[in-house]
PDB file of all heavy atoms in Angstrom:
ATOM      1  N   LEU A  18      51.931 127.429 114.291  1.00 81.00           N
ATOM      2  CA  LEU A  18      52.609 128.732 113.968  1.00 81.00           C
ATOM      3  C   LEU A  18      52.110 129.489 112.805  1.00 81.00           C
ATOM      4  O   LEU A  18      51.758 128.894 111.745  1.00 81.00           O
ATOM      5  CB  LEU A  18      54.113 128.510 113.893  1.00 81.00           C
ATOM      6  CG  LEU A  18      54.883 128.019 115.036  1.00 81.00           C
ATOM      7  CD1 LEU A  18      56.340 127.815 114.748  1.00 81.00           C
ATOM      8  CD2 LEU A  18      54.757 129.017 116.171  1.00 81.00           C
ATOM      9  N   LEU A  22      56.098 133.500 112.165  1.00 90.00           N
ATOM     10  CA  LEU A  22      56.809 132.719 113.175  1.00 90.00           C
ATOM     11  C   LEU A  22      57.521 131.557 112.588  1.00 90.00           C
ATOM     12  O   LEU A  22      58.661 131.193 113.016  1.00 90.00           O
ATOM     13  CB  LEU A  22      55.848 132.369 114.218  1.00 90.00           C
ATOM     14  CG  LEU A  22      55.352 133.487 115.085  1.00 90.00           C
ATOM     15  CD1 LEU A  22      54.323 132.850 116.040  1.00 90.00           C
ATOM     16  CD2 LEU A  22      56.396 134.237 115.825  1.00 90.00           C
ATOM     17  N   MET A  25      60.658 132.902 110.963  1.00 92.00           N
ATOM     18  CA  MET A  25      61.677 133.248 111.916  1.00 92.00           C
ATOM     19  C   MET A  25      62.386 131.859 112.412  1.00 92.00           C
ATOM     20  O   MET A  25      63.625 131.922 112.657  1.00 92.00           O
ATOM     21  CB  MET A  25      61.118 133.926 113.099  1.00 92.00           C
ATOM     22  CG  MET A  25      60.697 135.363 112.817  1.00 92.00           C
ATOM     23  SD  MET A  25      59.905 136.293 114.106  1.00 92.00           S
ATOM     24  CE  MET A  25      60.650 135.857 115.527  1.00 92.00           C
ATOM     25  N   VAL A  27      62.720 129.091 110.799  1.00 90.00           N
ATOM     26  CA  VAL A  27      63.608 128.628 109.541  1.00 90.00           C
ATOM     27  C   VAL A  27      64.815 129.513 109.504  1.00 90.00           C
ATOM     28  O   VAL A  27      65.808 129.055 109.205  1.00 90.00           O
ATOM     29  CB  VAL A  27      62.758 128.492 108.291  1.00 90.00           C
ATOM     30  CG1 VAL A  27      63.612 128.139 107.106  1.00 90.00           C
ATOM     31  CG2 VAL A  27      61.726 127.437 108.458  1.00 90.00           C
ATOM     32  N   GLY A  29      66.283 131.092 111.712  1.00 92.00           N
ATOM     33  CA  GLY A  29      67.220 130.735 112.901  1.00 92.00           C
ATOM     34  C   GLY A  29      68.022 129.381 112.482  1.00 92.00           C
ATOM     35  O   GLY A  29      69.247 129.403 112.639  1.00 92.00           O
ATOM     36  N   ILE A  31      68.694 128.363 109.494  1.00 93.00           N
ATOM     37  CA  ILE A  31      69.605 128.617 108.378  1.00 93.00           C
ATOM     38  C   ILE A  31      70.824 129.369 108.831  1.00 93.00           C
ATOM     39  O   ILE A  31      71.953 129.062 108.476  1.00 93.00           O
ATOM     40  CB  ILE A  31      68.860 129.416 107.247  1.00 93.00           C
ATOM     41  CG1 ILE A  31      67.812 128.569 106.567  1.00 93.00           C
ATOM     42  CG2 ILE A  31      69.842 130.051 106.106  1.00 93.00           C
ATOM     43  CD1 ILE A  31      66.834 129.373 105.597  1.00 93.00           C
ATOM     44  N   ILE A  35      74.866 128.145 108.642  1.00 93.00           N
ATOM     45  CA  ILE A  35      75.879 129.003 107.999  1.00 93.00           C
ATOM     46  C   ILE A  35      76.969 129.127 109.096  1.00 93.00           C
ATOM     47  O   ILE A  35      78.178 129.104 108.880  1.00 93.00           O
ATOM     48  CB  ILE A  35      75.300 130.293 107.526  1.00 93.00           C
ATOM     49  CG1 ILE A  35      74.478 130.000 106.372  1.00 93.00           C
ATOM     50  CG2 ILE A  35      76.384 131.317 107.144  1.00 93.00           C
ATOM     51  CD1 ILE A  35      73.790 131.061 105.800  1.00 93.00           C
ATOM     52  N   GLY A  37      77.658 127.338 111.756  1.00 92.00           N
ATOM     53  CA  GLY A  37      78.270 126.066 112.037  1.00 92.00           C
ATOM     54  C   GLY A  37      79.300 125.758 110.836  1.00 92.00           C
ATOM     55  O   GLY A  37      80.385 125.165 111.260  1.00 92.00           O
ATOM     56  N   ARG A  39      80.908 127.808 109.236  1.00 92.00           N
ATOM     57  CA  ARG A  39      82.147 128.728 109.423  1.00 92.00           C
ATOM     58  C   ARG A  39      83.114 128.169 110.573  1.00 92.00           C
ATOM     59  O   ARG A  39      84.305 128.156 110.444  1.00 92.00           O
ATOM     60  CB  ARG A  39      81.705 130.279 109.597  1.00 92.00           C
ATOM     61  CG  ARG A  39      81.084 130.807 108.490  1.00 92.00           C
ATOM     62  CD  ARG A  39      80.940 132.313 108.600  1.00 92.00           C
ATOM     63  NE  ARG A  39      82.203 133.081 108.526  1.00 92.00           N
ATOM     64  CZ  ARG A  39      82.802 133.251 107.380  1.00 92.00           C
ATOM     65  NH1 ARG A  39      82.359 132.880 106.315  1.00 92.00           N
ATOM     66  NH2 ARG A  39      83.986 133.889 107.370  1.00 92.00           N
ATOM     67  N   VAL A  41      83.318 124.979 111.492  1.00 92.00           N
ATOM     68  CA  VAL A  41      83.962 123.838 110.941  1.00 92.00           C
ATOM     69  C   VAL A  41      85.122 124.150 110.024  1.00 92.00           C
ATOM     70  O   VAL A  41      86.237 123.602 110.144  1.00 92.00           O
ATOM     71  CB  VAL A  41      82.913 122.935 110.169  1.00 92.00           C
ATOM     72  CG1 VAL A  41      83.648 121.805 109.354  1.00 92.00           C
ATOM     73  CG2 VAL A  41      81.986 122.263 111.137  1.00 92.00           C
ATOM     74  N   VAL A  44      88.019 125.368 112.474  1.00 94.00           N
ATOM     75  CA  VAL A  44      88.601 124.324 113.267  1.00 94.00           C
ATOM     76  C   VAL A  44      89.402 123.467 112.357  1.00 94.00           C
ATOM     77  O   VAL A  44      90.503 123.029 112.773  1.00 94.00           O
ATOM     78  CB  VAL A  44      87.405 123.454 114.019  1.00 94.00           C
ATOM     79  CG1 VAL A  44      88.106 122.136 114.580  1.00 94.00           C
ATOM     80  CG2 VAL A  44      86.849 124.322 115.115  1.00 94.00           C
ATOM     81  N   GLU A  48      89.897 127.030 104.114  1.00 91.00           N
ATOM     82  CA  GLU A  48      89.550 128.520 103.674  1.00 91.00           C
ATOM     83  C   GLU A  48      88.071 128.571 103.668  1.00 91.00           C
ATOM     84  O   GLU A  48      87.374 127.715 102.857  1.00 91.00           O
ATOM     85  CB  GLU A  48      90.208 128.793 102.368  1.00 91.00           C
ATOM     86  CG  GLU A  48      89.986 130.260 101.947  1.00 91.00           C
ATOM     87  CD  GLU A  48      90.687 130.620 100.595  1.00 91.00           C
ATOM     88  OE1 GLU A  48      91.557 129.761 100.209  1.00 91.00           O
ATOM     89  OE2 GLU A  48      90.239 131.585 100.077  1.00 91.00           O
ATOM     90  N   PHE A  59      72.684 134.030 102.980  1.00 95.00           N
ATOM     91  CA  PHE A  59      71.651 133.872 104.059  1.00 95.00           C
ATOM     92  C   PHE A  59      70.471 134.803 103.842  1.00 95.00           C
ATOM     93  O   PHE A  59      69.272 134.344 103.922  1.00 95.00           O
ATOM     94  CB  PHE A  59      72.289 134.345 105.456  1.00 95.00           C
ATOM     95  CG  PHE A  59      71.430 134.666 106.500  1.00 95.00           C
ATOM     96  CD1 PHE A  59      70.905 133.406 107.275  1.00 95.00           C
ATOM     97  CD2 PHE A  59      70.905 135.722 107.041  1.00 95.00           C
ATOM     98  CE1 PHE A  59      69.992 133.562 108.256  1.00 95.00           C
ATOM     99  CE2 PHE A  59      70.197 136.001 108.136  1.00 95.00           C
ATOM    100  CZ  PHE A  59      69.730 134.789 108.666  1.00 95.00           C
ATOM    101  N   LEU A  68      58.295 133.160  99.439  1.00 94.00           N
ATOM    102  CA  LEU A  68      57.896 132.984  98.032  1.00 94.00           C
ATOM    103  C   LEU A  68      57.748 131.403  97.677  1.00 94.00           C
ATOM    104  O   LEU A  68      56.752 131.110  96.909  1.00 94.00           O
ATOM    105  CB  LEU A  68      58.884 133.750  97.081  1.00 94.00           C
ATOM    106  CG  LEU A  68      59.079 135.229  97.388  1.00 94.00           C
ATOM    107  CD1 LEU A  68      60.229 135.717  96.408  1.00 94.00           C
ATOM    108  CD2 LEU A  68      57.713 135.940  97.071  1.00 94.00           C
ATOM    109  N   VAL A  76      50.739 126.679  93.445  1.00 93.00           N
ATOM    110  CA  VAL A  76      50.885 125.893  92.149  1.00 93.00           C
ATOM    111  C   VAL A  76      50.672 124.387  92.583  1.00 93.00           C
ATOM    112  O   VAL A  76      50.030 123.693  91.696  1.00 93.00           O
ATOM    113  CB  VAL A  76      52.320 126.021  91.676  1.00 93.00           C
ATOM    114  CG1 VAL A  76      52.704 125.083  90.601  1.00 93.00           C
ATOM    115  CG2 VAL A  76      52.580 127.431  91.321  1.00 93.00           C
ATOM    116  N   PRO A  84      46.292 120.420 113.218  1.00 64.00           N
ATOM    117  CA  PRO A  84      46.188 119.344 114.265  1.00 64.00           C
ATOM    118  C   PRO A  84      45.050 118.524 113.959  1.00 64.00           C
ATOM    119  O   PRO A  84      43.843 119.131 113.707  1.00 64.00           O
ATOM    120  CB  PRO A  84      46.132 120.061 115.534  1.00 64.00           C
ATOM    121  CG  PRO A  84      46.764 121.370 115.214  1.00 64.00           C
ATOM    122  CD  PRO A  84      46.479 121.659 113.806  1.00 64.00           C
ATOM    123  N   GLY A  85      45.065 117.252 113.958  1.00 69.00           N
ATOM    124  CA  GLY A  85      43.833 116.276 113.755  1.00 69.00           C
ATOM    125  C   GLY A  85      43.556 115.981 112.257  1.00 69.00           C
ATOM    126  O   GLY A  85      42.708 115.264 112.035  1.00 69.00           O
TER     127      GLY A  85
END
Side-chain angles (χ1 to χ4, degrees):
L18 293 179
L22 290 176
M25 288 173 39
V27 171
I31 292 168
I35 292 171
R39 293 193 73 77
V41 167
V44 169
E48 185 177 344
F59 176 74
L68 299 174
V76 175

